[in-house]
Amino acid sequence: MESNTNTPNAFKTPRKPEKMKSPGNKLTESCSAPGTPVTIPASPFMKKLGCGTGVNVYLMSRNGKFHSPWAIKKINSKCTTSQKNIYQRRLCNEAKILKDLQHPNVVGFRAFTTSKDGSKCLAMEYGGEQSLNDLIEKRRESGLQAFPVDVVENVALHVARGLKYLHNEKKLLHGDMKSCNVVIKGDFETIKICDVGVSLRLDENMQVSDPKAHYIGTEPWKPKEALEGGVITDKADIFAYGLTLWEMMTLSVPHLEMLDSECDDDDDSFDEDDFDEDAYYECLGTRPALDSDTLGGAYQKMVELFCLCTEEDPRKRPSASDIVQALESNL
């Protein structure tokens, strides 16, 4: 949760950032004195925070008592030339979008530059060392069950606030909502949505405005309309948001929970040949099972929210604004 959503951040996303210079791997620090050069260290000299499709994210410490660390997103050097071109275009798009965003539940823009090898580097607000997915995996590996209900409710509210801001104020579909794209600082002190590189513009009807735009997403979190070439609206994010809550209550990946049940209790290995691929693809875009009896009555509201968000018909799903209003009324 946000410890104090009314407290200004030390470094806010600039509305009109200073023109950035990039001699070598230098850039202008857009959140301090104009013209202050900052050097992005080589990847081996930064702590790796995580990775995504074609990119790695590193922690960059900065000198000075009042200089908060940055998260640096760089293209994976192991990518082929054609892959690098794709991911660099995506990173440029993410930087362009991120510059215009400022919300306590969305990771903020800090700077953009070109490294010595010609690849792009996106400097962002440091939202925390761990993603929600990291915490889910650690909890599962420790033999624990669902996150406490107050934690699930807290994440649900803050992520919904971030989505409301993207949808209503910025007319943006996040396009890849999942636990991997929620970063957590400390003991849920802050909760922020990240990775807006595949976001799509929404029109006044909350539909994707460009008919040629392609919803990318991630397969297990995709709604039916994205899988079948239907009309994409803000409700595509809501479906994936519902599955993110499901992740916190089951500690599993949507539609892949069958992997756990198909493995022998005495053997953690999994034979790929035993995986029912047809059954997996048939389940995509549907609501995965959730044993509410095992969770207990305290989770009833979160189970109901999950069910509403994962309605197959997007018109039956609530908007992010509806979700925020409902959750805030329960505080």
Side-chain angles (χ1 to χ4, degrees):
M1 60 184 150
E2 290 286 351
S3 55
N4 189 346
T5 56
N6 295 320
T7 301
N9 293 328
F11 297 94
K12 287 195 172 184
T13 304
R15 290 296 185 183
K16 294 182 179 179
E18 296 292 331
K19 183 178 180 180
M20 290 171 283
K21 303 175 184 179
S22 55
N25 62 339
K26 301 277 187 174
L27 72 159
T28 296
E29 184 180 350
S30 56
C31 298
S32 67
T36 303
V38 175
T39 300
I40 300 285
S43 300
F45 297 99
M46 293 188 289
K47 179 180 179 180
K48 187 174 181 180
L49 294 175
C51 58
T53 306
V55 296
N56 292 324
V57 181
Y58 301 90
L59 177 64
M60 175 183 159
S61 299
R62 301 192 299 142
N63 295 329
K65 182 178 179 180
F66 301 105
H67 287 180
S68 60
W70 285 352
I72 307 296
K73 182 179 284 191
K74 300 180 69 176
I75 306 299
N76 191 326
S77 59
K78 295 182 180 179
C79 291
T80 64
T81 301
S82 60
Q83 287 175 328
K84 285 182 180 179
N85 291 336
I86 293 172
Y87 299 135
Q88 285 193 15
R89 286 196 298 271
R90 187 177 294 179
L91 198 61
C92 287
N93 184 57
E94 181 173 6
K96 182 179 179 181
I97 293 171
L98 210 56
K99 283 181 185 179
D100 191 43
L101 304 181
Q102 186 176 14
H103 189 273
N105 296 120
V106 179
V107 166
F109 172 84
R110 293 296 177 261
F112 194 50
T113 188
T114 303
S115 64
K116 288 182 178 179
D117 64 3
S119 63
K120 303 295 183 182
C121 295
L122 173 59
M124 303 170 291
E125 171 190 13
Y126 171 60
E129 283 199 22
Q130 300 181 98
S131 70
L132 179 58
N133 180 257
D134 293 330
L135 296 175
I136 289 171
E137 289 185 352
K138 288 181 180 179
R139 193 169 182 86
R140 182 176 64 244
E141 290 167 359
S142 298
L144 299 173
Q145 300 300 315
F147 282 86
V149 67
D150 60 326
V151 174
V152 181
E153 291 175 348
N154 194 39
V155 171
L157 175 58
H158 286 275
V159 173
R161 284 173 175 166
L163 289 177
K164 177 184 175 182
Y165 169 76
L166 293 176
H167 295 171
N168 293 20
E169 294 190 39
K170 293 302 178 179
K171 290 294 186 287
L172 275 176
L173 179 79
H174 181 277
D176 197 16
M177 195 66 242
K178 56 185 177 180
S179 62
C180 294
N181 289 335
V182 177
V183 287
I184 309 295
K185 184 180 289 184
D187 187 18
F188 293 91
E189 295 162 15
T190 64
I191 301 162
K192 296 177 183 283
I193 298 171
C194 65
D195 201 353
V196 296
V198 295
S199 295
L200 300 173
R201 295 289 173 184
L202 296 170
D203 62 20
E204 63 278 5
N205 296 316
M206 289 298 185
Q207 295 183 9
V208 172
S209 56
D210 184 356
K212 297 180 180 178
H214 178 60
Y215 179 91
I216 295 177
T218 304
E219 202 169 62
W221 290 265
K222 282 187 176 182
K224 187 74 75 175
E225 62 267 26
L227 294 163
E228 297 182 349
V231 176
I232 303 299
T233 68
D234 60 318
K235 301 301 181 64
D237 274 349
I238 299 303
F239 184 89
Y241 164 85
L243 292 186
T244 303
L245 302 183
W246 182 90
E247 290 181 79
M248 295 189 72
M249 292 186 282
T250 64
L251 309 184
S252 300
V253 175
H255 310 302
L256 287 181
E257 66 273 16
M258 62 185 76
L259 295 181
D260 295 329
S261 61
E262 290 182 4
C263 291
D264 188 276
D265 292 340
D266 299 324
D267 184 7
D268 291 334
S269 63
F270 173 70
D271 187 348
E272 189 175 331
D273 293 334
D274 292 335
F275 178 61
D276 190 339
E277 189 173 359
D278 291 336
Y280 163 71
Y281 281 108
E282 187 176 341
C283 287
L284 290 179
T286 66
R287 179 189 299 144
L290 180 62
D291 189 349
S292 57
D293 291 335
T294 300
L295 286 170
Y299 289 84
Q300 180 180 351
K301 290 179 181 177
M302 288 298 98
V303 172
E304 290 176 354
L305 178 58
F306 153 72
C307 290
L308 284 171
C309 292
T310 52
E311 286 280 358
E312 190 167 317
D313 184 348
R315 294 170 297 181
K316 295 181 179 180
R317 300 172 204 154
S319 67
S321 182
D322 292 334
I323 295 170
V324 170
Q325 183 178 3
L327 292 176
E328 287 183 342
S329 68
N330 289 327
L331 291 178

